[in-house]
Amino acid sequence: MSDDVRLKLAVQKSGRLADDSRDLLERCGIRFTKSKDQLFCTAQDFPLDLFFVRDDDIPAFVASNVCQIGIVGQNVLGEEKLSSRNQKLKSVEEVLPLNFGKCRLSIAAPYDFAYDGPKSLQGKVIATSYAGLLSEFLQKNSVEAEIVEMQGAVEIAPRVGMADAICDLVSTGATLAVNGLQEREVIFKSQSVLIKGQGLSTDQGRILDRLMLRIQGVLEAQSSKYIMFHAPLASLEDICSVIPGSDAPTVLELQGRPDKVAVHAVCNEAVFWETMEELRARGASDMLVVPIEKMLA
Ligand code: ATP
Ligand code: ZN
């Protein structure tokens, strides 16, 4: 591979995904310095260039091969594919869910709106910034409603008499509550994803594979824990059967204790207090659960 082959990645310039995108790259060992109004920067230690843009523009940057890959919410990719006239967007693919930026696109309405399923929206006015995804939902449910497109502050529309209901992104529901709205129907679940276009050369494809391997390692490490405890030799098998998401624990001798062993295991799932109590009930002791920083299978 020649040294000047690089991959261009579009990320959100500022907003809800900006910090998490940067953190993820840093955890992958990819560092970059970015000043506030910079559009472009070059990563150190990895053949990657970063473009900082508005999240809504990320799918188009990737579709046109200005950037070969991007980090964006599934909601934005889904909406752009449905509502943009740019045909090239259809070929942009999701390659890896990134486990942050989780939210849902939901229909919400004032508390006194009698909601009894999608049919209750028949003939109503719904305000949204997601006309594409909302139209698709309404069509699937054979509901005809008027869509009012707004770019922001959608949640005020019912209060000012612009709409009967809204369709907007929700994560905690706090904004809805403050505006006297109740979430009635989730129409789309979203998280951030790594996306790619069709314009990658073979060498760029190799860089993407390396990047994905690192990202997968970071994500696995985030959800995994290293667990250590002492166990009576007699109940070892029984104890090992309750370690969550682990197939081959390491069993070590304990100096001067022939009746006991030390067990070390990587758990690919969360380790809850209940699991620790279960292990203890089977005779395990001296338990330690520690985070893992990096993993590479
Ligand atoms: P930009 O200036 O880049 O266009 P924006 O204002 O459109 O930014 P943000 O509010 O920064 O967007 O949200 C970016 C993404 O974060 C959303 O598209 C969505 O995928 C995700 N997200 C997670 N939780 C929420 C939430 N509660 N509300 C809105 N977006 C959320
Ligand atoms: Zn945006």
Side-chain angles (χ1 to χ4, degrees), residues 28-221:
C28 290
I30 301 165
R31 285 171 299 134
F32 52 93
T33 40
K34 181 201 152 201
S35 70
K36 234 185 169 330
D37 41 30
Q38 213 176 352
L39 167 70
F40 171 88
C41 90
T42 294
Q44 299 145 25
D45 328 310
F46 201 84
L48 193 70
D49 295 330
L50 286 110
F51 276 68
F52 302 101
V53 295
R54 285 198 54 195
D55 67 345
D56 317 70
D57 295 332
I58 292 174
F61 265 71
V62 172
S64 59
N65 204 31
V66 172
C67 290
Q68 290 73 46
I69 56 173
I71 293 179
V72 72
Q74 288 169 314
N75 54 311
V76 170
L77 180 64
E79 179 61 28
E80 291 296 312
K81 280 192 173 190
L82 287 171
S83 62
S84 167
R85 263 176 267 147
N86 181 349
Q87 286 302 313
K88 285 188 190 158
L89 280 168
K90 303 259 183 298
S91 63
V92 176
E93 292 171 54
E94 292 183 19
V95 286
L96 194 63
L98 300 175
N99 211 26
F100 64 82
K102 289 194 174 166
C103 57
R104 49 198 190 270
L105 185 64
S106 292
I107 308 269
Y111 284 85
D112 58 5
F113 185 113
Y115 190 84
D116 183 26
K119 285 271 178 277
S120 312
L121 299 167
Q122 180 69 34
K124 303 290 184 194
V125 181
I126 312 170
T128 191
S129 318
Y130 289 88
L133 290 168
L134 175 59
S135 305
E136 191 186 48
F137 169 81
L138 294 173
Q139 239 167 37
K140 270 189 192 151
N141 288 282
S142 315
V143 171
E144 279 177 40
E146 186 187 332
I147 297 176
V148 174
E149 287 198 57
M150 291 174 72
Q151 291 314 313
V154 174
E155 63 281 355
I156 63 157
R159 203 165 8 118
V160 298
M162 273 177 76
D164 302 299
I166 67 162
C167 171
D168 203 9
L169 293 178
V170 185
S171 52
T172 61
T175 311
L176 293 183
V178 166
N179 287 283
L181 300 170
Q182 194 180 14
E183 188 175 0
R184 302 297 172 94
E185 188 100 45
V186 176
I187 73 164
F188 189 87
K189 283 196 177 156
S190 179
Q191 63 173 300
S192 294
V193 281
L194 185 69
I195 58 171
K196 77 162 184 160
Q198 298 298 314
L200 283 82
S201 67
T202 312
D203 284 346
Q204 286 176 325
R206 288 197 190 105
I207 301 174
L208 176 59
D209 289 344
R210 273 180 68 202
L211 177 66
M212 283 174 59
L213 199 65
R214 289 197 190 186
I215 296 178
Q216 276 157 341
V218 170
L219 297 180
E220 269 174 43

